[in-house]
């Protein structure tokens, strides 16, 4: 019985730290992504711009888009094992310069958690893993 009582609080804690990104609204994320469009593209005809194209970003290793010249700072993160999962994307999108100091990203970040959840949900619609 003690195991059960100990298990329930642990299960509650684990449930509370699960990613809320699964609840993001891709349609709302499409609107948030307008802030990103000046530098990034998604979709069938997407090409690198000032930033790399973002098709298949969710679950992808960092720094691997063909034809894009990444900063030394991002390539160093790649060497550390950077994978753009929901957690790393959320952290990066909150404040890019804090996640990758001396990176190329000039965008200050998305302060609202819901905006980040939604844009990640939108990006997932362009990821093979979501298909």
């Amino acid at each position: 019985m003690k195991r059960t009582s100990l298990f329930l609080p642990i299960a509650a804690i684990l449930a509370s730290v699960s990613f809320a990104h699964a609840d993001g609204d891709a349609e709302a994320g499409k609107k948030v992504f307008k802030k990103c469009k000046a530098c990034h593209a998604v979709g069938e005809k997407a090409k690198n711009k000032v930033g790399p194209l973002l098709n298949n970003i969710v679950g992808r290793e960092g720094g691997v888009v063909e034809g894009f010249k990444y900063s030394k700072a991002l390539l160093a993160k790649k060497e550390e094992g950077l994978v753009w999962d929901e957690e790393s994307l959320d952290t990066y999108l909150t404040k890019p310069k804090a996640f990758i100091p001396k990176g190329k990203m000039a965008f200050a970040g998305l302060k609202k958690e819901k905006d980040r959840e939604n844009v990640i949900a939108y990006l997932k619609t362009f990821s093979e893993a979501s298909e």
Side-chain angles (χ1 to χ4, degrees):
M1 183 157 297
K2 287 184 182 180
R3 287 184 188 164
T4 304
S5 62
L6 179 61
F7 174 75
L8 291 176
I10 292 171
I13 290 168
L14 291 174
S16 71
V17 296
S18 67
F19 294 107
H21 305 293
D23 298 330
D25 178 346
E27 196 58 37
K30 183 177 182 178
K31 292 175 186 168
V32 176
F33 189 77
K34 288 180 182 179
K35 296 177 183 183
C36 313
K37 284 180 116 174
C39 299
H40 295 281
V42 292
E44 190 176 322
K45 296 180 182 178
K47 294 182 180 177
N48 293 328
K49 295 172 138 184
V50 173
L53 66 91
L54 298 179
N55 292 342
N56 298 309
I57 185 79
V58 181
R60 180 176 76 206
E61 179 184 5
V64 297
V65 172
E66 191 173 320
F68 187 78
K69 184 172 169 57
Y70 290 96
S71 68
K72 290 179 183 176
L74 190 131
L75 293 174
K77 276 280 197 192
K78 175 186 176 184
E79 291 301 314
E80 294 171 11
L82 174 62
V83 174
W84 291 119
D85 57 17
E86 291 180 28
E87 182 180 8
S88 61
L89 283 167
D90 180 62
T91 303
Y92 185 67
L93 291 171
T94 300
K95 194 169 184 182
K97 289 291 185 186
F99 189 73
I100 303 179
K102 300 182 182 178
K104 288 183 178 182
M105 181 92 133
F107 185 67
L110 297 171
K111 293 186 187 323
K112 295 180 184 175
E113 181 178 357
K114 200 64 176 166
D115 284 349
R116 294 189 309 272
E117 290 173 3
N118 293 340
V119 81
I120 291 168
Y122 177 65
L123 291 171
K124 285 175 78 173
T125 67
F126 297 96
S127 294
E128 291 174 5
S130 68
E131 293 174 355

